[in-house]
Amino acid sequence: MEVDDKVAKAWRTASAKLKQEIGGLMNKQIATIIDRKEEKDIIPFLKELRQEMAEKGLTQEILNDILKDEL
């Protein structure tokens, strides 16, 4: 997957646990989208992913702080 430079930098410094959690969520959702072959499902997927990550403590504010620290 291609991501922008900020996300790539944040990913490289993320903990193994966080990478594993994100990887699991992404794998599940990408497989679902590909199986259905419905591109329109990407927006609901991203909303669901954001909600799940927030429930696990990874909010947009924390992501912004991580990205800010990388610059």
Side-chain angles (χ1 to χ4, degrees), residues 2 7 10 13 16 18 20 26 31-33 40 45 54 57 62 68:
E2 292 191 31
V7 172
T13 60
L18 179 59
Q20 183 177 12
M26 295 292 290
T32 300
I33 292 167
K40 66 182 179 182
F45 155 67
I62 292 172
K68 182 176 65 175

Side-chain angles (χ1 to χ4, degrees), residues 45-62:
F45 155 67
L46 293 175
K47 288 180 181 179
E48 182 180 332
L49 179 62
R50 179 178 285 171
Q51 180 180 351
E52 287 182 39
M53 296 312 296
E55 289 170 2
K56 294 178 184 278
L58 184 62
T59 63
Q60 185 65 45
E61 291 78 22
I62 292 172

Side-chain angles (χ1 to χ4, degrees), residues 1 3 5-6 8 11-14 18 21 25 33 36 38 41-42 48 53 55 63-64 69:
M1 290 178 73
V3 297
D5 290 340
K6 289 180 183 179
W11 180 260
R12 285 192 293 272
T13 60
L18 179 59
E21 288 178 10
L25 291 170
I33 292 167
R36 289 190 212 159
E38 295 179 17
D41 285 341
I42 193 69
E48 182 180 332
M53 296 312 296
E55 289 170 2
L63 286 173
N64 291 342
D69 291 342

